[in-house]
Amino acid sequence: MFKESTLQKNEAQTGQDVERASERPVYVPRADIYEHADRYEVIADMPGVDENSVDITIEKKVLTLSGRVTVPTAEGWTLRHAEYGIGDYFRSFQLTDEVDENRIQARVKNGELRLTLPKIEPVRRRIDVKSAG
Amino acid sequence: MQDLHNRIRSSSVDTEAYPAVRLHQKEDEAMLQTELPGIDPAAVNLHVQDDHLTLSFERSAENTGDGRALRIERPVGKYSRTVRLPFRIDAARVEAVFMKGVLSVRLPMVEDDKPRKIQVKAS
């Protein structure tokens, strides 16, 4: 499904969704999305991020994930070889009307963010049928 | 593809091997870092022999039950990567720490390979 060459971190392109506030690079976290009968699950790879450095916002049906990497840098070490960069994460998703924004849950473990987006429960209305007679 | 190559060049990434690593150095040891988000640290195998370190792990597919995949971008499968250092590694003193999905492995040089200062005696 994935070719080797697509496994590297994706740096966000400036000017699209991301406004860079610093020289730190911004990466688009790799994500999986699953749909269940009652919910959506979003799983995003955000290595270096924990529950205190991730921000999840919803505005006008747009879900935005941003994460600040706080892994201790290699202080006192000289970097000799780098195949990936270290920076922050940013990605947004357009939500459908069926997502219940008030019940979204998120957790982070081992640099992996998991979001549960419950669907709005269908409203069932019972119409009383009166006898005409 | 073209786009990806340009991006890699612009980010000064040297290779397309996976998992990508960063190598640091201090006087007589090296430190390798790699990003393994969502991986159980107990399922990561590290093997050190002479001057090389082999890192292997498996990332299994999500158990989604009745779920339907709308998008799959995260890699699934068995991966292995061997990194060769310019010195022999003291396997007994290798230390690995896994934090927030980032693995850091300290690789000390064997005593025999350390640079030694030779005292020149007056005859």
Side-chain angles (χ1 to χ4, degrees), chain B residues 73-101:
Chain B
E73 297 172 353
R74 295 155 68 243
V76 168
K78 283 185 179 173
Y79 297 97
S80 176
R81 177 94 199 261
T82 299
V83 174
R84 185 163 222 158
L85 297 182
F87 56 81
R88 287 183 296 152
I89 304 158
D90 188 346
R93 292 192 296 131
V94 169
E95 276 177 40
V97 179
F98 190 73
M99 207 175 119
K100 302 176 198 174

Side-chain angles (χ1 to χ4, degrees), chain B residues 40-95:
Chain B
D40 174 6
V44 177
N45 283 309
L46 289 174
H47 184 81
V48 171
Q49 194 171 13
D50 301 327
D51 61 351
H52 56 263
L53 164 80
T54 301
L55 161 84
S56 55
F57 63 94
E58 184 172 358
R59 195 168 185 176
S60 37
E62 274 303 305
N63 179 18
T64 56
D66 64 335
R68 184 169 66 98
L70 301 182
R71 182 189 285 271
I72 296 181
E73 297 172 353
R74 295 155 68 243
V76 168
K78 283 185 179 173
Y79 297 97
S80 176
R81 177 94 199 261
T82 299
V83 174
R84 185 163 222 158
L85 297 182
F87 56 81
R88 287 183 296 152
I89 304 158
D90 188 346
R93 292 192 296 131
V94 169
E95 276 177 40

